[in-house]
Amino acid sequence: MTDLSRRDFLQSAAAAAALAGALNQSLAEEPTPTALKVSGPVVISSANGLRATEKAAEMIAAGADTLDAVIAGVNIVEEDPNDNSVGYGGLPNEDGIVELDSSVMHGPSCRAGAVGALRNIKTPSQVAKVVMERTDHIFLVGEGALRFARSHGFKECDLLTEESRKLWLDWKEHHSDKDNWIPSEVPDPNKRSDARRGFAFTYGTISCLGLNTAGDLSGVTTTSGLSYKLPGRVGDSPIIGAGLYVDNEVGAAGSTGRGEANIKICGTHMIVEAMRHGATPAEATLQAVQRAVHHTTEKRLLHLDGRPNFDLKFYALAKDGRFAGASIWSGGKFAVYADGKNRLEECAFLFQRAEVKP
Ligand code: GLY
């Protein structure tokens, strides 16, 4: 080694040692996890997850792993043909094909798994868990995710129910008068009103987070995503740090609503980090909602008064059992099981919806 390269080496070694020292110091300064307070399971979910919170809490109370419990909870909704936002019966992409997204995180083992644009499998949350457990990867999409699910014995079926097919056809026939699709002249009494047709895309999703008395946390988010999306579109639900984030030392967060607004801010990671530094779940979820609004600049996404023309919701569960939900617009609710009771609670919000006068 020349004198010059020896000097460079010694300098960079000294710099590396200083950096390691600084990192150790900053890790030591991170707030320690909050003392545990829960005496029973706490499970929180989006408002469509009342059956999920009940099921997951029952399983956690009986000693099940928190991830198995929240997945079993959302499976009820994924398999429900009458829920158009998740799994079987979910609204399809613009070609009429249902494509599902899901992610899972297991707090105690710091592991994650996810699938995106998965076709033909009712329970993408279960496939995401197998990705976590049986691959060296975290995220599989499309054809690869389907082949992986087949390899693990998942049964395929057409996810489009008669109802979701009719809703898609209704959208197809009404969203433009400059194409060759013409609505039936026979009025369909079950048809959605104009307000829900064509322009009203939906982002329905279920997110569910669970905590046991040992302080272990897990979470899952699962969805059929944006209705009538471009084939291949993947939303926030399967993206770790956007649709879901769990840190067993701090807490967990999940999201529903317009995924594109969330992916840009990595909202659930932001929430868990805010809680790590002392924010309450309510403060942390509202901060994420505020950030998403602040980062929405496109005119097509704003009302004339500059407020967003979509909604986005976050749910947070801290390691000490505190929980909250927040949304851009008033009127949002979330499901929660805590203190032995399963119920819906109000989300905090940024903007009050204008009252609709009869
Ligand atoms: N948050 C669900 C989606 O945007 O797909």
Side-chain angles (χ1 to χ4, degrees):
M1 208 181 264
T2 64
D3 277 357
L4 193 60
S5 61
R6 185 175 296 115
R7 196 170 63 232
D8 285 350
F9 171 76
L10 289 174
Q11 277 176 350
S12 59
L19 181 63
L23 278 175
N24 284 339
Q25 176 69 20
S26 78
L27 285 176
E29 281 168 3
E30 284 206 341
T32 47
T34 341
L36 293 182
K37 285 186 193 144
V38 292
S39 56
V42 183
V43 184
I44 172 172
S45 171
S46 40
N48 54 350
L50 210 47
R51 291 174 294 168
T53 48
E54 186 167 42
K55 173 77 180 175
E58 184 189 299
M59 285 179 64
I60 293 172
D65 178 79
T66 48
L67 184 56
D68 290 336
V70 291
I71 290 177
V74 301
N75 286 164
I76 299 171
V77 187
E78 286 178 324
E79 289 173 344
D80 181 353
N82 298 315
D83 188 305
N84 292 137
S85 65
V86 177
Y88 180 50
L91 291 176
N93 64 22
E94 69 175 19
D95 291 344
I97 298 167
V98 182
E99 291 185 329
L100 305 176
D101 300 336
S102 181
S103 60
V104 300
M105 285 192 84
H106 186 241
S109 62
C110 299
R111 287 180 304 162
V115 288
L118 175 66
R119 300 180 176 188
N120 296 0
I121 307 289
K122 280 183 180 173
T123 51
S125 60
Q126 290 180 358
V127 184
K129 182 170 183 252
V130 183
V131 171
M132 179 186 91
E133 290 174 333
R134 303 288 292 273
T135 75
D136 188 35
H137 307 315
I138 286 187
F139 195 178
L140 296 182
V141 301
E143 175 62 22
L146 177 57
R147 278 164 46 190
F148 173 79
R150 272 191 212 124
S151 308
H152 279 276
F154 284 88
K155 295 280 170 280
E156 287 184 71
C157 72
D158 185 356
L159 299 178
L160 201 64
T161 55
E162 260 313 276
E163 192 197 341
S164 53
R165 186 188 62 77
K166 279 185 179 159
L167 288 167
W168 165 75
L169 191 61
D170 190 44
W171 168 79
K172 193 94 180 149
E173 290 178 345
H174 284 92
H175 80 285
S176 170
D177 57 6
K178 296 186 175 52
D179 61 21
N180 298 318
W181 293 78
I182 298 174
S184 156
E185 281 169 13
V186 182
D188 179 349
N190 298 318
K191 203 157 61 183
R192 290 183 171 198
S193 68
D194 282 347
R196 297 189 68 194
R197 184 187 300 146
F199 312 102
F201 290 105
T202 58
Y203 295 93
T205 299
I206 181 167
S207 183
C208 188
L209 315 167
L211 170 71
N212 65 15
T213 53
D216 286 332
L217 290 146
S218 290
V220 55
T221 301
T222 180
T223 189
S224 51
L226 173 66
S227 56
Y228 322 129
K229 59 195 172 187
L230 297 186
R233 179 262 188 190
V234 171
D236 59 332
S237 302
I239 297 180
I240 301 302
L244 178 69
Y245 198 69
V246 178
D247 183 323
N248 214 45
E249 294 188 352
V250 177
S255 180
T256 61
R258 182 179 157 79
E260 281 76 3
N262 180 20
I263 294 171
K264 290 194 295 185
I265 63 156
C266 294
T268 57
H269 183 263
M270 180 187 161
I271 288 167
V272 172
E273 290 310 295
M275 293 196 296
R276 188 193 305 280
H277 292 100
T280 65
E283 288 165 349
T285 48
L286 266 177
Q287 281 170 17
V289 162
Q290 247 159 349
R291 174 85 54 92
V293 170
H294 186 62
H295 284 237
T296 300
T297 54
E298 302 92 326
K299 277 209 172 84
R300 66 190 163 78
L301 297 173
L302 301 172
H303 290 300
L304 288 177
D305 65 3
R307 295 174 180 192
N309 58 18
F310 59 85
D311 206 359
L312 178 63
K313 293 188 178 73
F314 290 105
Y315 315 92
L317 175 56
K319 190 174 175 69
D320 63 7
R322 289 171 301 159
F323 55 83
S327 51
I328 297 179
W329 291 99
S330 64
K333 293 194 188 321
F334 62 93
V336 62
Y337 182 101
D339 309 316
K341 291 191 202 85
N342 198 38
R343 72 250 183 197
L344 288 175
E345 289 202 7
E346 305 277 333
C347 287
F349 59 87
L350 274 192
F351 303 129
Q352 180 83 46
R353 273 187 207 280
E355 272 183 48
V356 182
K357 303 233 162 59

